[in-house]
Amino acid sequence: MDGNARDEDKLENEFNNEAEGEHDDANKNKERGGELEMSVEQMFEGRQVPSWRNQLTMRALGVSFVLSVLFSFIVMKLNLTTGIIPSLNVSAGLLGFFFVKTWTKLLQKSGLLRQPFTRQENTVIQTCVVASSGIAFSGGFGSYLFGMSERIAKQSGDDGGFKNPSLGWIIGFLFVVSFLGLFSVVPLRKIMIIDFKLTYPSGTATAHLINSFHTPQGAKLAKKQVKTLGKFFSFSFLWGFFQWFFTSGEDCGFASFPTFGLEAYENRFYFDFSSTYVGVGMICPYIINISVLLGGILSWGLMWPLIEKREGDWYPAGLSPSNMHGIQGYKVTRLVSDKTIETVVSRHRYIDIKIRSSSLTLLTFPQFQVFIAIAMILGDGLYNFVKVLIKTLTGLFYQFRGRQTLPIANQQSPDASDKLSYDDQRRTELFLKDRIPTWFSVAGYVTIASISTIVLPHIFHQLKWYYVLVIYIFAPTLAFCNAYGAGLTDWSLASTYGKLAIFTIGAWAGQNGGVLAGLIACGVMMNIVSTASDLMQDFKTGYLTLTSPRSMFVSQVIGTAMGCIVSPCVFWLFYKAFDDLGLPESRYPAPFATVYRNMSILGVQGFSSLPRECLMLCYGFFGAAILINSTKDMLGKKWGAFVPLPMAMAIPFYLGSYFAIDMCVGSLILFVWQKLNREKADAFSAAVASGLICGDGIWTLPSSILALFGVQPPICMKFLSRGANVRVDNFLTT
């Protein structure tokens, strides 16, 4: 998952005909009650399809830029907190429709409208926005890229080198690695979409949504949805503004309210009044939210209290709870023998509390937390990688078995005949009309790969040119596998391929800069395979909306270029505004940065570097992740839907359960709403959730700017008891 939680879009119009099924049957004319129901393309038959150049309008690119900034803030905030990122395609399509439709209506009334708003233009906007905001995830700002920083290196107790973030090298790095995935799969667009007829559920659902917007009935519903989104956007923004007034100090404000009591609060069980995660909970499937909550209960509710009972075995006995050499040391810092490590443990009214030691060795909670989470993530990733790989190979076998010859990108399909429905004939005709030459894709890939192979070793001296060359030789094959697997399962394994690169290149480089080399290799691989599957999803959307492949490709390139500039600037604002960014107790702990850093350390040093107790726990949770997944698949869709997801369970092991409670509140709201009025809930829940996420996300911009200029909230509203505050203050001033 790594943040790639898919929302299950429910479409409220006549185009909702099995988004994940074969659309041949959905597009055939149906006889109902003696009346002939028109197919999708028959309803649009009277409308002229604009040329690919006319689909790329200046207003579409302008709206795309504005929305890409907004969505980059949302994705960045989620990246730096929990790493759970829902699909924002629906929000992008809905907001794009609203902005351009409003603009064209004003021009139409004034008589200045020259080009009407089409579904093709709507698709271009959605593609550009998702491509741009996608860089905020694949760029690694909450994972591998920030994991290279000195701050994360100190938390991991690692002296394997670091490279602190800088706006210049980040933008340069993204520009030389983010476009390769686009060129690697462009020649396969016909094979994937027309010959293999892969479903691409998210791309198909987005296409149905956009198609529905541009019918009279769908436009009315979209108008109501946008109005609802605006209401909850305003509420979420104002709620974030209100909360800001009470957070001038540490552990104060509504985000630190001990909802279930002080003991539960100390174990990170509380509701933090975040509208973002309530909205995320409404979008994410129920099983993801329940899995996250179960992970929090298992770790902070059971495991960590049990480890506290190991006093005298895993840490010295007889020390006070606040002593850093006791259980408190397990929770907040890591001390290594024969080394002096300076770690910022806490920040209290701008005072850094630093702990030094040169003789004591302690196994810390972060090490348990991080490596158990890593074990579960790796177990889940390995299982899903093997499962998707088997499905990919099986699917390819059956595809090729029924053909005398292999499909070729620029040749007509042998079955492109009258066997196809009217819709598919129309879509296939236009999809093959604007070809992208294969030589252009190959030349683009070779050129960018050559530049990247030369430039990357100059940015990161730990990454040798031959490491990069090997990655680029194997990358197109892996990009194809990821794009094909996403077409079958809607599951992108970009982060899994990135972890594969971490261990492979990290072990190859060894102690000589292997930690950083592994993280950089992860970034290169993630960007290639992620953009490849995203582009193919967008090609599927374009196929179903009669959008030209050329305009889709150009839109994807422009969106990626936007993301290479916008995302680093957004991250830089966070980095400069919040001095504690990436620290465990921060508002933005960036948990996956620590996870990825420790994965790279593990790849270089091997399992022998882990303490005995930690290694045994990792073995157990690695096996448990595989067992849970296999059980889920054996039970089938009906009962397997109730089995939790190990990847989601792993996240609260490091962060706690506070965000899980928020997400479960979102699920509860949606559940009750569906029980009371399912039709209305299905129609407007995505708009409500998008408004909650967008409003709180956009509030991050002014709050970050205020923090950057040193403007602090006027009030610190603490909810801890007086005695607890005295103990905390005594500890912090020791």
Side-chain angles (χ1 to χ4, degrees), residues 585-614:
E585 304 301 323
S586 166
R587 283 178 59 192
Y588 303 103
F592 278 104
T594 307
V595 167
Y596 275 65
R597 178 86 189 194
N598 281 279
M599 282 184 185
S600 193
I601 295 170
L602 199 62
V604 172
Q605 299 179 358
F607 292 106
S608 60
S609 62
L610 296 179
R612 174 178 52 86
E613 296 87 353
C614 186

Side-chain angles (χ1 to χ4, degrees), residues 92 338 370 426:
D338 301 325
V370 170
R426 177 80 168 142

Side-chain angles (χ1 to χ4, degrees), residues 238-415:
L238 293 174
W239 175 242
F241 176 60
F242 175 75
Q243 287 190 89
W244 176 81
F245 276 95
F246 305 98
T247 56
S248 67
E250 297 295 324
D251 297 322
C252 61
F254 288 92
S256 299
F257 182 74
T259 319
F260 308 109
L262 290 174
E263 186 173 353
Y265 175 81
E266 290 172 0
N267 286 283
R268 303 194 182 188
F269 280 92
Y270 57 94
F271 177 65
D272 75 342
F273 295 89
S274 170
S275 57
T276 293
Y277 293 112
V278 173
V280 170
M282 293 181 69
I283 290 179
C284 289
Y286 293 132
I287 191 60
I288 289 180
N289 302 328
I290 297 299
S291 299
V292 172
L293 183 60
L294 285 176
I297 294 172
L298 177 63
S299 56
W300 291 87
L302 296 175
M303 287 189 61
W304 305 155
L306 289 175
I307 292 179
E308 288 184 8
K309 296 181 180 180
R310 304 297 296 176
E311 182 179 7
D313 184 9
W314 290 2
Y315 59 93
L319 300 176
S320 67
S322 62
N323 193 301
M324 289 304 299
H325 293 170
I327 189 64
Q328 192 68 26
Y330 270 70
K331 290 183 177 178
V332 294
T333 189
R334 180 177 189 258
L335 306 176
V336 183
S337 61
D338 301 325
K339 293 182 180 179
T340 300
I341 296 178
E342 210 170 78
T343 305
V344 178
V345 178
S346 180
R347 301 184 64 83
H348 182 65
R349 296 184 183 276
Y350 316 107
I351 300 175
D352 290 346
I353 309 299
K354 299 180 180 181
I355 307 297
R356 298 171 181 269
S357 175
S358 59
S359 60
L360 182 66
T361 301
L362 285 180
L363 174 65
T364 67
F365 258 20
Q367 191 163 8
F368 273 111
Q369 294 165 334
V370 170
F371 281 106
I372 289 175
I374 288 174
M376 294 188 72
I377 291 171
L378 289 179
D380 184 86
L382 177 64
Y383 181 88
N384 283 290
F385 173 75
V386 173
K387 183 177 74 172
V388 173
L389 182 62
I390 291 173
K391 284 189 175 183
T392 300
L393 296 177
T394 304
L396 286 172
F397 172 75
Y398 285 114
Q399 291 282 357
F400 293 151
R401 185 181 181 185
R403 299 174 182 272
Q404 295 180 349
T405 58
L406 297 180
I408 300 174
N410 291 323
Q411 286 188 4
Q412 188 72 17
S413 300
D415 58 350

Side-chain angles (χ1 to χ4, degrees), residues 1-4 137 143-144 373-382 385 478 491-507 518-519 521-527 529 592 595-600 602-603 622 647 650:
M1 183 177 58
D2 270 12
N4 278 324
F137 171 72
S143 55
Y144 66 84
I374 288 174
M376 294 188 72
I377 291 171
L378 289 179
D380 184 86
L382 177 64
F385 173 75
L478 299 179
W491 190 283
S492 174
L493 295 176
S495 59
T496 303
Y497 288 109
K499 297 179 185 82
L500 181 64
I502 285 181
F503 289 113
T504 304
I505 302 300
L519 290 170
C522 170
V524 175
M525 185 63 75
M526 268 187 68
N527 275 279
V529 299
F592 278 104
V595 167
Y596 275 65
R597 178 86 189 194
N598 281 279
M599 282 184 185
S600 193
L602 199 62
F622 180 87
M647 186 76 77

